[in-house]
Structures are given as structure tokens and as C-alpha cells.
Amino acid sequence: MMEIKTLGVVGAGQMGSGIAQVASASGLSVVMSDVKDEFVERGFLAIEKSLGRMVKKEKISQEDQKAVLDRIQGTTSMDDMAKADFVVEAAIEQEALKLNIFRELDKKCNAGVILASNTSSISITKIAAVTKRSERVIGMHFMNPVPMMALVEVIRGLATSDETFEVTRDLAQKMGKTPVLA
């Protein structure tokens, strides 16, 4: 079974920054990307604010807050996704955009890397079809707000392998989430 050490997150908006936060809080290194520096910056600010609330409520220490932030690398270059062992796409719910992101991720990421989408409405089979790794494409739909909500829907495409499903389920659990097959 593959070990996930670095999680790539494409999209630094509300969902992407939340996913980056819980992944980093679980000990993973995170590469969080977006199309503009200001979006990446906004994602970091949202994470900092969310962690700040947890410090205030004494759920985590300031050292924990700093450690979580330090494990997240922000970028505007999709080339940086090559460092990831697993990538979650959390871009806006626009089919053409998501398909383009998956085409690009398929080229930039190592062959063994699983590509997941946080989509709630686009077919995983359709997304997988634009890659050369259909068996390694899966849906990983987090609930909003990500740091507070325990549920993650794991959605298989027609070609999604059992190993991809198991790795995704285990990753969700490592991140403190309750995976549910959708």
C-alpha cells in the first residue's frame, strides 16, 4: 500500500484551504496551489484564522498552529504538484476547468499518484477519462466547513481500482475524517 507524505491541493478557496488545513494538522506536508498569488495568500489567511480560533478555544497550542502553517507550501505553479503523493482538486465547480486541471495533473504528477476531485456534481468517470490513469482517479468530497465536518464522501468512477479506494479511505481516516462510500 502506498504511503502518503505530501498532499497536493489544487485550489486555495474555502474548500481547498480547509482541506490543506486538516491534511497539515494530521502531519502531512501540503502543496496548496491556485492561479494567483493573492488567492494562495487568501487561503493561508483563512487557515491562520481558523487555527487562531482553535488556539483561542485551547484546542491546539500556538506551537501547533505554527507547525500546521509551516507544513503548507503555497504556489501558483502546477509543476509543484510533482512533489505530491496524492492530489485533491478543489477548484470551482466548472466542468471544463476541472477537466483541464486533471489533464495537466496527469502530465505533471508521477504515474502512481492518485488524483482526487472534491466535485459534488461532475462524474468521476468523465474526469478520469481525460487522464491516462483512470484507475487512479477518485472523488473525495469534503463537507463545508472542512475543519469542522467529519464526513468525506469517497466516490468511485467506473475504472477506479480497489487500491485507489483503499488508499483514499485510509487517507481520509488519517485526516480525522469519516469516509463514506457514495
Side-chain angles (χ1 to χ4, degrees), residues 32-76:
M32 179 176 71
S33 76
D34 213 314
V35 291
K36 289 183 180 169
D37 283 324
E38 63 195 81
F39 297 160
V40 174
E41 213 34 59
R42 205 177 301 154
F44 268 107
L45 289 171
I47 294 167
E48 208 170 350
K49 209 167 138 184
S50 173
L51 292 169
R53 286 192 295 270
M54 293 167 89
V55 170
K56 254 190 196 132
K57 291 178 183 166
E58 296 181 1
K59 287 185 175 167
I60 63 169
S61 68
Q62 281 184 310
E63 291 75 32
D64 293 337
Q65 179 184 22
K66 183 182 177 340
V68 169
L69 289 167
D70 287 349
R71 278 192 292 270
I72 303 171
Q73 175 206 338
T75 183
T76 54

Side-chain angles (χ1 to χ4, degrees), residues 22 50 54 57 59 143-151 177:
V22 296
S50 173
M54 293 167 89
K57 291 178 183 166
K59 287 185 175 167
M143 304 297 148
N144 197 7
V146 179
M148 310 313 291
M149 304 295 275
L151 224 55
K177 300 298 176 190

Side-chain angles (χ1 to χ4, degrees), residues 1-3 163 166-167 169-170:
M1 197 71 101
M2 62 188 292
E3 193 188 349
E163 186 196 4
E166 288 159 20
V167 169
R169 180 196 60 212
D170 293 352

Side-chain angles (χ1 to χ4, degrees), residues 118-181:
N118 187 54
T119 186
S120 56
S121 64
I122 300 164
S123 153
I124 299 304
T125 301
K126 189 175 215 173
I127 292 171
V130 303
T131 73
K132 292 179 176 74
R133 62 178 89 200
S134 295
E135 73 290 349
R136 293 193 175 280
V137 176
I138 195 161
M140 194 174 191
H141 182 229
F142 290 82
M143 304 297 148
N144 197 7
V146 179
M148 310 313 291
M149 304 295 275
L151 224 55
V152 173
E153 290 177 322
V154 180
I155 308 135
R156 295 176 82 135
L158 288 175
T160 305
S161 71
D162 290 341
E163 186 196 4
T164 296
F165 172 75
E166 288 159 20
V167 169
T168 306
R169 180 196 60 212
D170 293 352
L171 177 63
Q173 289 169 336
K174 180 179 180 170
M175 291 166 65
K177 300 298 176 190
T178 306
V180 177
L181 180 61

Side-chain angles (χ1 to χ4, degrees), residues 19-35:
I19 295 165
Q21 177 183 328
V22 296
S24 177
S26 74
L28 295 168
S29 294
V30 177
V31 179
M32 179 176 71
S33 76
D34 213 314
V35 291

